[in-house]
Amino acid sequence: TGISAESAFVSSPGFFPAMADTAEMPVETKPVNPHVATTCTAGPIGLTAFGITTILLNFLNAELIGKDTITLIICYGMFHGGMIQILAGMWEVYRGNIFGGCAFTSYGGFWMGFALFEILMVITELEPPSKDGKVVWLIVWGIFTLLNFAGTLNANRVVQFVFASLTALFFLLAAGVNNADIHILAGYVGIVCGSSALYLGWAEV
């Protein structure tokens, strides 16, 4: 998959144009990252962390569970959706997979930041953000996710679907700031997105 693809390959002599003395033609190779051969992928860890927490939060967005569940979801999301994804991202960077590292650490940071925001809203007297501010915040994350989706166009269809549905989720949540029906629709899209990530994670185990 695009999340756990190996970073090394060997070029075949057949890729080069014919030359007069093909017997002497050197075979070019790219150096193999030794960590890929000795370290397993963290893709399933990051994907299941992302998938489970996304499903839980969007059950709330879809109004399938009570709003008082937010405390449980946020505390769980800070560690599983946040810390575990960041660790998985660093693991993938160590293996030389910069795309997986960027995705996991970014969305892990998103979850930790979101959890901290919700906690601060409860324990402090900070003013809640304006609706316009929330819209901009969600659109920025939607654009970032759209760029990630573009990076998956050579990956398998499930990886593409995860990022495409996540892109749709962010933009629907942005539109849902001012429309309750769209917000509920976004919740259902988020459940599908999280489920696809969970499936992809288990497929890589």
Side-chain angles (χ1 to χ4, degrees):
T1 67
I3 294 294
S4 62
E6 308 299 351
S7 60
F9 69 92
V10 178
S11 298
S12 166
F15 292 145
F16 296 94
M19 298 176 64
D21 187 4
T22 57
E24 300 298 324
M25 183 167 50
V27 177
E28 294 186 5
T29 62
K30 287 189 176 182
V32 176
N33 181 348
H35 303 310
V36 172
T38 59
T39 309
C40 67
T41 177
I45 299 171
L47 285 165
T48 52
F50 169 82
I52 292 173
T53 47
T54 300
I55 291 170
L56 290 175
L57 180 61
N58 284 286
F59 262 92
L60 183 63
N61 288 334
E63 298 185 1
L64 298 174
I65 54 178
K67 292 183 178 180
D68 53 352
T69 318
I70 186 65
T71 306
L72 173 62
I73 294 173
I74 289 303
C75 291
Y76 177 79
M78 174 177 283
F79 288 94
H80 199 194
M83 184 179 71
I84 296 301
Q85 275 202 90
I86 289 175
L87 291 174
M90 292 296 96
W91 195 331
E92 286 299 294
V93 169
Y94 176 76
R95 296 181 70 251
N97 181 5
I98 189 60
F99 178 82
C102 178
F104 286 140
T105 54
S106 296
Y107 296 115
F110 170 88
W111 264 103
M112 295 197 80
F114 179 64
L116 178 60
F117 163 75
E118 291 291 340
I119 291 170
L120 289 176
M121 287 295 98
V122 173
I123 66 174
T124 70
E125 297 181 356
L126 292 175
E127 291 292 326
S130 66
K131 287 187 175 183
D132 289 345
K134 290 178 69 175
V135 169
V136 170
W137 170 60
L138 290 164
I139 287 177
V140 168
W141 274 101
I143 293 172
F144 171 74
T145 305
L146 180 61
L147 294 174
N148 279 331
F149 169 70
T152 68
L153 294 180
N154 290 325
N156 69 55
R157 294 292 183 265
V158 181
V159 176
Q160 293 176 15
F161 182 83
V162 171
F163 282 95
S165 58
L166 184 58
T167 301
L169 172 60
F170 277 119
F171 286 124
L172 283 171
L173 286 172
V177 169
N178 295 301
N179 187 306
D181 291 336
I182 295 179
H183 184 82
I184 293 173
L185 173 62
Y188 285 101
V189 172
I191 293 170
V192 173
C193 173
S195 299
S196 65
L198 196 58
Y199 166 80
L200 180 61
W202 278 110
E204 291 191 4
V205 171

